[in-house]
Amino acid sequence: MAAALLTACTAATPPTGQAPPVHAARVWDYRVWAGPGARELRVEVELPPGVPERLGVDAFAHPFCADLELATDTGWRPVERTGKVWVVPRCRESGCRLRYHYQLGAAAEGIDRFAYAGYRAGALLAPPSTFLVAPQDYAGADTYRLRVDTAPGESFVTGVWGSAGGHAAGADPPGTDGEWRAPAELLFEAPFSGFGRFERRVLQVGTGSIDLAIAPGASLGVSAPELDRALLRAGQAVSTYYGRFPVPRVTVIVLPSPGAQVFGMQLGNGGASIVLFVGTEVDAAALDSDWVMVHELLHLGFPTLDRKHLWFAEGLATYQEPLVRARAGIIDADQVWRGYLEGLPHGVPNGTDTGLDGSSRWGRTYWGGALVFLLLDIELRARSADGLSLDAAARAILSRGGDTSVRWPVQKTLAAGDAGLDHPSLSDAYVRFAREPVAIDLEALFRRLGVRLTQGRVRYDDNAELAAVRRALTAANGRPSPHDGHAGFASPGVPKSPL
Ligand SMILES: [Zn+2]
């Protein structure tokens, strides 16, 4: 049976006659051989003893896994699927070796969701959690190691980090097959990944690198230097905000898409990844005025939280993004305040809204969250004579290890942020807004800030109570707070946009 299975396999043939891999204890060791177009994968996995005996893959992905076999003393033995999972007591009892085929092409056609499996822009997008059969509901200190061989001319691109933390595994330049490693308890929601004939290059932003992978589907409306320049400018603006590029490495998968929009999604949880849909009608001028890249890059400096706290991450990035661009000279204060004046009303609770935790309404998640951080930032700046602001809390979270690659409880995130402040103000704001809807008089708030929209134009009142706070928010990056771990936020000299 084993021979028949191997013969039937169209994936690249695994090397034979090799000794079992020797590795440190507590590693889930995956080897993947991908056939042409990654339509079929052949996978072998070795699991250490003590892992949960229920094995599975991501949502919707189980029907595409075939021929799962367990290594026994007498050879390979088939394991039948029970519903959506495979139950293998031996894995828990003594560790186990398994092998299977994964029909990734059929999964991409059948599931057609790029966060699970889908063809987009000539690439096959699927995170490892789609095709790696793994112990379910695992919590512990194990790591998973993933090695992937692709068909000639193709590459596997992933936001999972390598053996050396955020840096790519070993000395592999992008475009070659490699090795990736991350905490096993985060495998269930692994970073964006894909197979295909990507165009690869690396952009360096200070200590960080943007590992760029452009899908082959269609020609972008911008040249490579124009795209690189826009990403570098966004990366530098975000670096200036945090004091450094927030992660050692982020994989940015660019998908040329129909239309004139840029749309992005970000996923950490064991690495750092961004998927950027760039409309083929997006030209250099449109890219210059884009806000999405800064928004997604800001997420890199914040830990992954449980989904019910989505407003926390999205509200923070929604609030920060225009300020970061203004301080870098990319947009002016009018554009910042126009955005807040038009956007924040979406965040005010309506009659049916609950607190922000668990909220799924777009306006509440993005603008409701942004309003919390505007109020907190104003409060900190208004009461502090030594430059305390929300920036200090954001930088304190990152300097304590809270980047997108880690998954933190909200309490740990709050404590890390409060460590950068003189009061537990972040925790106070969370308690106030997360559990109950809080009515905010936005008109009164904007009046105190001295900003309003009149006949489509942004007008200011410099005699308003909080006018100084309003001006400070968009001023170029000033001195860091004395409570902040970082020293010196020298502007990288980002050129002002021609727009
Ligand atoms: Zn976001």
Side-chain angles (χ1 to χ4, degrees):
M1 179 185 236
L5 281 173
L6 282 172
T7 315
C9 174
T10 57
T13 309
T16 53
Q18 285 187 349
V22 177
H23 52 71
R26 311 310 313 175
V27 172
W28 304 4
D29 199 12
Y30 290 92
R31 292 287 329 244
V32 175
W33 292 270
R39 288 202 61 84
E40 175 163 326
L41 311 179
R42 172 159 166 68
V43 184
E44 291 190 10
V45 51
E46 190 164 347
L47 297 169
V51 296
E53 65 186 26
R54 287 176 69 255
L55 311 179
V57 287
D58 225 335
F60 327 115
H62 58 277
F64 307 99
C65 180
D67 315 324
L68 186 77
E69 293 184 312
L70 170 71
T72 70
D73 295 342
T74 55
W76 292 98
R77 183 163 62 76
V79 181
E80 296 306 318
R81 178 154 54 83
T82 308
K84 297 178 179 178
V85 299
W86 296 262
V87 180
V88 190
R90 180 190 287 242
C91 295
R92 172 177 48 77
E93 292 159 3
S94 57
C96 59
R97 273 184 73 206
L98 302 157
R99 68 181 185 183
Y100 58 92
H101 296 104
Y102 196 87
Q103 306 298 333
L104 192 57
E109 286 153 2
I111 298 173
D112 194 26
R113 295 167 69 168
F114 75 89
Y116 296 94
Y119 285 108
R120 294 290 185 279
L124 200 173
L125 298 188
S129 38
T130 296
F131 55 82
L132 297 185
V133 171
Q136 299 293 284
D137 305 316
Y138 171 78
D142 293 2
T143 59
Y144 70 92
R145 179 170 74 155
L146 170 61
R147 286 174 288 172
V148 180
D149 286 323
T150 53
E154 301 179 9
S155 58
F156 174 64
V157 170
T158 178
V160 179
W161 282 353
S163 315
H167 297 282
D172 283 344
T176 63
D177 297 325
E179 175 184 322
W180 297 271
R181 194 185 284 255
E185 64 181 9
L186 302 183
L187 175 54
F188 75 99
E189 196 178 86
F192 295 120
S193 309
F195 294 86
R197 295 178 181 274
F198 293 96
E199 182 186 325
R200 309 282 301 270
R201 53 184 183 268
V202 176
L203 307 177
Q204 205 65 34
V205 188
T207 55
S209 59
I210 297 173
D211 187 351
L212 196 54
I214 301 164
S219 294
L220 291 169
V222 289
S223 67
E226 286 165 345
L227 178 63
D228 292 0
R229 177 179 168 273
L231 272 166
L232 283 169
R233 188 178 67 167
Q236 283 162 350
V238 168
S239 299
T240 303
Y241 179 80
Y242 283 121
R244 62 175 167 86
F245 195 71
V247 291
R249 179 174 79 90
V250 56
T251 296
V252 177
I253 300 175
V254 175
L255 304 175
S257 309
Q261 303 288 318
V262 178
F263 174 72
M265 296 185 81
Q266 191 275 331
L267 194 55
N269 233 39
S273 63
I274 291 171
V275 165
L276 213 53
F277 294 85
V278 178
T280 51
E281 295 165 35
V282 169
D283 58 14
L287 214 53
D288 259 343
S289 60
D290 167 73
W291 59 269
V292 172
M293 288 181 283
V294 168
H295 175 101
E296 304 302 341
L297 291 170
L298 278 164
H299 279 318
L300 302 178
F302 190 75
T304 303
L305 305 181
D306 276 352
R307 192 152 188 88
K308 70 186 256 200
H309 310 300
L310 189 63
W311 70 269
F312 201 134
E314 294 302 346
L316 187 60
T318 300
Y319 173 66
Q320 292 166 318
E321 169 268 311
L323 298 180
V324 167
R325 290 199 299 147
R327 293 173 196 173
I330 299 171
I331 59 175
D332 59 23
D334 282 13
Q335 290 168 279
V336 173
W337 289 109
R338 178 184 299 280
Y340 288 159
L341 286 159
E342 293 176 346
L344 287 167
H346 295 291
V348 175
N350 62 28
T352 61
D353 281 324
T354 58
L356 286 167
D357 265 0
S359 169
S360 59
R361 189 163 73 80
W362 168 83
R364 287 285 280 164
T365 303
Y366 286 79
W367 287 108
L371 180 53
V372 173
F373 295 109
L374 172 63
L375 291 167
L376 175 57
D377 208 1
I378 292 171
E379 177 204 317
L380 290 167
R381 288 168 182 271
R383 78 153 191 256
S384 162
D386 58 4
L388 212 56
S389 71
L390 182 69
D391 307 351
R395 290 169 190 151
I397 290 168
L398 179 58
S399 71
R400 281 157 183 78
D403 67 31
T404 189
S405 74
V406 297
R407 192 177 190 91
W408 276 8
V410 71
Q411 297 301 341
K412 182 174 180 175
T413 309
L414 295 168
D418 282 334
L421 305 174
D422 58 351
H423 286 284
S425 306
L426 190 61
S427 296
D428 291 350
Y430 174 80
V431 168
R432 183 173 171 218
F433 288 95
R435 292 161 193 173
E436 301 286 338
V438 179
I440 297 292
D441 185 345
L442 271 184
E443 258 183 54
L445 176 68
F446 287 130
R447 203 179 313 121
R448 291 173 69 206
L449 285 164
V451 62
R452 66 184 193 282
L453 265 180
T454 304
Q455 295 172 331
R457 297 192 60 178
V458 182
R459 308 279 183 182
Y460 301 101
D461 173 8
D462 279 340
N463 296 316
E465 175 195 351
L466 295 171
V469 169
R470 185 200 72 226
R471 284 192 299 267
L473 281 174
T474 55
N477 292 271
R479 64 203 163 96
S481 144
H483 297 278
D484 196 316
H486 297 294
F489 286 85
S491 163
V494 178
K496 187 165 173 64
S497 161
L499 288 178

